Amino acid sequence: MKKLIVVGSTGVIGKEVVELMKSQYQVIEVNRSSGDYKLDMSDTKAVESMFKEIGGFDAIIATSGYGKWGSIDEHTIQDFHDGLNSKLMGQVNLVMIGRKYANEGATFVVSSGILAQYPVEGGLSLGVINAGLEAFVRGAALEMKSMRVNAVSPSFARETMELMGMDSSTGVPAIEFAKLYKEAIESGKTGEIFRV
Ligand SMILES: NC(=O)c1ccc[n+]([C@@H]2O[C@H](COP(=O)([O-])OP(=O)(O)OC[C@H]3O[C@@H](n4cnc5c(N)ncnc54)[C@H](OP(=O)(O)O)[C@@H]3O)[C@@H](O)[C@H]2O)c1
């Protein structure tokens, strides 16, 4: 069975990804506080140790990372650094370090988000992070000839809106995003941003 690493497997979207993929792949679950491996993906040493321990793998999906949600007045400079270090560099770490350990033809899927193209009040940090990540995916795909790298850009998950106490009627069920990660792996494409 092919090996799939899911970083962020306990999250709203990651849970659905694991459910969708587990009949086809040996899924290795990774989070900070639970899973087959526990690590913070912003910690490059921990990421390197994880890949060394796992050995070759065929696919990795990252549905993980932090970015500040808040108005410009609520943003400190440190908030930008924290989000860039977590959601942007955390996922970049998984690709940059993971490619040394991945099997030939392996595929990487990271998570960006709709705020890269469509700003909303409160989403300043995440917009910057998501746009940077999408640029990384396009650039890395050009040079990673024997592997593929794509991003899924979720809009707003219905379950997340419910957790935030918002009206969730315009939300997209997280399973619909999970299907995009599967498509990103199976499509044969690289350098693409998958959206519902
Ligand atoms: N949900 C949405 O509506 C939505 C919309 C647009 C974009 N996105 C993006 O899609 C991705 C998944 O979103 P989500 O809502 O499913 O997230 P979530 O429910 O907050 O879950 C995040 C998952 O990632 C793990 N995690 C967080 N930081 C980590 C780190 N530094 N290292 C390793 N694991 C980490 C968490 O487990 P631990 O806490 O145990 O580490 C958890 O399993 C995120 O990148 C998010 O920005 C989501």
Side-chain angles (χ1 to χ4, degrees), residues 41 62-65 83-84 86-95 109-113 116-117 125-141 149-154 181 191-193:
M41 64 181 181
T63 50
S64 41
L84 290 167
S86 176
K87 182 172 171 176
L88 175 63
M89 283 314 299
Q91 296 190 86
V92 169
N93 290 340
L94 295 177
V95 178
V109 191
V110 297
S111 297
S112 60
Q117 286 80 31
S125 272
L126 283 160
V128 171
I129 292 164
N130 293 341
L133 202 54
E134 292 185 1
F136 171 78
V137 163
R138 288 188 287 265
V149 55
N150 292 295
V152 168
S153 174
Y181 292 85
E192 295 279 323
I193 314 300

